[in-house]
C-alpha cells in the first residue's frame, strides 16, 4: 500500500483523488491546501489537511507526494518532497524551465527516489496503438504526421493564473505540451523546429499556434489554440505511413492503401468521474495505477524517459519565450 499526499486540491487534485479511491494499492492520507474551500474539500474526502508540505511530512507517514498545484509551483514542491526522500508524481509539465527539470531529476538520483510526470496520453489505447505501429513499422515508415489540439480559452482557472505567462507558460505549456511530448516520444528530438502564432491586438496571450518539427526526411506538423470562441475541446491526429493512414478523431481507424478501413477498439475501463470539465475516463486510473506500481517496485516508468521530458520542456520554454 502506497500512502499518498496530494499537494493542491483543485481540479487535478480532485481528479487524482477520485482515481486513487479506486486503486487498491493507494491510499490518500493527507492533502496540502491553504484555503477554506480546500479545508471543506478535505473534510468531504475524510483526509487530514495541512497548510504546507513540511508540516504534512512531519506529521504523516507518506510514501509518495502527488503535486497537483498550478504549474509555477511544481518545481519547488518536487524538490521539497525529494529532499525528504519521497517518490514524486508531478502533473504535467514537470517544470517551466529546463534548469528546474534538470534539478529535479538530479536530486531524485541523489536521493534514490523516483519522479513520475503526468503526461496522461501515454496511458490511452489510441497512443499505445500508435506507438506500437511506429516502433514495429507494421505499416511501413512514417511519411507525415499532424496533431491538432483546440479549445476555448480556459477562463475557468482559479484566479486566472493560466493567463500569466510566468505562472503557466500559457498555451504552449498547458495545451500543446500533450502533442509535443507524444511527438518526441515517437520520433525523438527534432533536428529543427519553427512556429507562428496569432492573437488579438493588445491581447495577453497568443490564441493560435502552428508548429513544424523537422526530423530529417520527416516533417511533423501540429496546431493548438485557446480560441476566444465557444468552441468545444477537440483533439485529433493523423499519421501517414507507407502502407496507409492511421487517424484518431472520434474513433481510431487505419485506412490501408488497399482494402477496407480497420477500426480499433479503444474503450478502457473503469471510467471514473473526474470532478472537472472532463467526462468520465479511464486514462487517469491507468496512469496513476502504473505510477503506484512503479513506485512500489522502486523503478522508473517505461512509458517516457527523462531525456524526452527534459527535451519537451526545453523546446516549450523557447516557444513560450520564458
Amino acid at each position: 500500500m502506497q500512502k499518498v499526499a496530494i499537494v493542491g486540491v483543485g481540479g487535478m487534485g480532485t481528479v487524482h483523488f477520485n482515481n486513487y479511491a479506486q486503486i487498491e494499492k493507494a491510499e490518500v492520507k493527507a492533502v496540502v491546501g491553504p484555503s477554506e474551500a480546500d479545508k471543506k474539500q478535505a473534510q468531504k474526502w475524510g483526509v487530514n489537511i495541512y497548510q504546507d508540505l513540511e508540516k504534512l511530512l512531519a506529521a504523516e507517514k507518506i510514501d509518495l507526494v502527488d503535486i497537483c498545484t498550478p504549474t509555477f509551483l511544481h518545481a519547488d514542491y518536487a524538490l521539497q518532497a525529494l529532499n525528504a526522500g519521497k517518490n514524486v508524481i508531478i502533473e504535467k509539465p514537470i517544470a517551466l524551465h529546463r534548469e528546474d527539470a534538470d534539478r529535479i531529476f538530479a536530486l531524485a538520483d541523489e536521493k534514490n527516489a523516483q519522479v513520475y510526470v503526468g503526461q496522461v496520453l501515454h496511458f490511452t489505447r489510441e497512443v499505445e496503438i500508435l506507438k506500437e505501429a511506429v516502433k514495429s513499422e507494421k505499416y511501413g515508415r512514417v511519411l507525415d504526421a499532424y496533431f491538432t489540439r483546440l479549445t476555448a480559452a480556459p477562463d475557468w482557472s482559479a484566479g486566472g493564473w493560466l493567463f500569466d505567462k510566468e505562472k503557466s507558460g500559457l498555451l504552449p505549456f498547458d495545451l500543446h505540451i500533450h502533442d509535443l511530448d507524444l511527438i518526441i516520444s515517437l520520433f525523438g528530438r527534432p533536428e529543427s523546429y519553427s512556429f507562428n502564432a496569432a492573437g488579438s491586438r493588445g491581447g495577453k496571450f497568443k490564441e493560435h499556434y502552428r508548429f513544424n518539427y523537422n526530423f530529417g526526411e520527416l516533417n511533423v506538423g501540429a496546431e493548438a489554440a485557446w480560441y476566444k470562441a465557444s468552441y468545444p475541446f477537440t483533439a485529433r491526429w493523423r499519421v501517414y505511413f507507407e502502407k496507409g493512414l492511421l487517424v484518431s478523431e472520434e474513433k481510431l481507424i487505419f485506412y490501408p492503401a488497399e482494402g477496407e478501413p480497420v477500426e480499433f477498439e479503444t474503450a478502457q475501463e473503469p471510467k471514473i468521474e473526474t470532478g472537472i470539465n472532463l467526462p468520465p475516463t479511464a486514462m487517469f486510473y491507468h496512469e496513476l495505477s502504473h505510477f503506484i506500481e512503479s513506485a512500489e517496485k522502486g523503478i522508473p516508468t517505461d512509458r517516457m524517459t527523462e531525456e524526452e521530458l527534459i527535451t519537451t520542456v526545453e523546446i516549450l520554454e523557447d516557444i513560450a519565450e520564458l
Side-chain angles (χ1 to χ4, degrees), residues 8-251:
V9 293
M12 288 311 303
T14 299
V15 171
H16 284 205
F17 181 86
N18 288 349
N19 281 270
Y20 285 130
Q22 304 299 318
I23 298 173
E24 290 184 3
K25 293 184 178 181
E27 179 185 9
V28 178
K29 296 294 290 184
V31 299
V32 174
S35 73
E36 287 301 317
D38 295 336
K39 291 177 183 177
K40 290 179 181 179
Q41 186 69 285
Q43 185 177 26
K44 177 181 176 183
W45 290 344
V47 298
N48 296 329
I49 186 167
Y50 296 84
Q51 290 286 311
D52 59 63
L53 182 57
E54 183 179 3
K55 291 178 181 176
L56 185 153
L57 293 176
E60 303 278 353
K61 182 176 174 57
I62 296 296
D63 300 304
L64 187 150
V65 176
D66 184 346
I67 300 166
C68 296
T69 63
T71 305
F72 67 101
L73 299 172
H74 286 185
D76 286 346
Y77 276 120
L79 293 169
Q80 188 178 349
L82 289 167
N83 267 316
K86 308 302 180 183
N87 292 323
V88 176
I89 294 173
I90 309 173
E91 250 309 309
K92 63 84 185 168
I94 183 173
L96 289 172
H97 304 282
R98 173 174 180 156
E99 179 182 358
D100 287 333
D102 285 336
R103 289 169 61 206
I104 289 168
F105 281 118
L107 184 57
D109 288 342
E110 178 186 325
K111 297 292 185 178
N112 195 29
Q114 300 299 327
V115 173
Y116 307 108
V117 181
Q119 299 287 170
V120 73
L121 291 189
H122 293 278
F123 300 89
T124 62
R125 283 296 297 138
E126 292 89 342
V127 167
E128 289 172 350
I129 291 166
L130 171 60
K131 291 172 81 170
E132 191 277 329
V134 171
K135 181 178 180 180
S136 68
E137 295 191 339
K138 64 190 290 185
Y139 303 133
R141 292 186 303 111
V142 175
L143 303 178
D144 186 77
Y146 198 81
F147 297 79
T148 301
R149 193 164 295 266
L150 313 171
T151 189
D155 55 7
W156 45 263
S157 67
W161 67 270
L162 275 173
F163 300 122
D164 184 331
K165 183 168 74 171
E166 301 303 317
K167 292 183 176 181
S168 72
L170 298 175
L171 185 158
F173 270 95
D174 185 69
L175 191 64
H176 179 55
I177 187 172
H178 290 289
D179 291 325
L180 178 57
D181 165 75
L182 178 55
I183 289 166
I184 289 171
S185 75
L186 290 168
F187 308 116
R189 184 186 185 94
E191 295 180 10
S192 62
Y193 57 90
S194 61
F195 65 94
N196 55 55
S200 304
R201 290 178 181 174
K204 293 182 178 180
F205 60 91
K206 297 297 185 182
E207 298 151 29
H208 185 276
Y209 283 75
R210 285 193 177 92
F211 309 88
N212 185 72
Y213 298 99
N214 176 261
F215 299 89
E217 294 183 353
L218 173 66
N219 283 287
V220 177
E223 186 179 4
W226 275 354
Y227 288 129
K228 291 182 179 177
S230 55
Y231 186 77
F233 174 77
T234 304
R236 298 170 177 162
W237 50 259
R238 64 179 186 270
V239 178
Y240 182 42
F241 296 85
E242 291 175 305
K243 298 179 183 178
L245 183 68
L246 185 61
V247 179
S248 176
E249 291 180 338
E250 292 183 0
K251 300 178 180 180

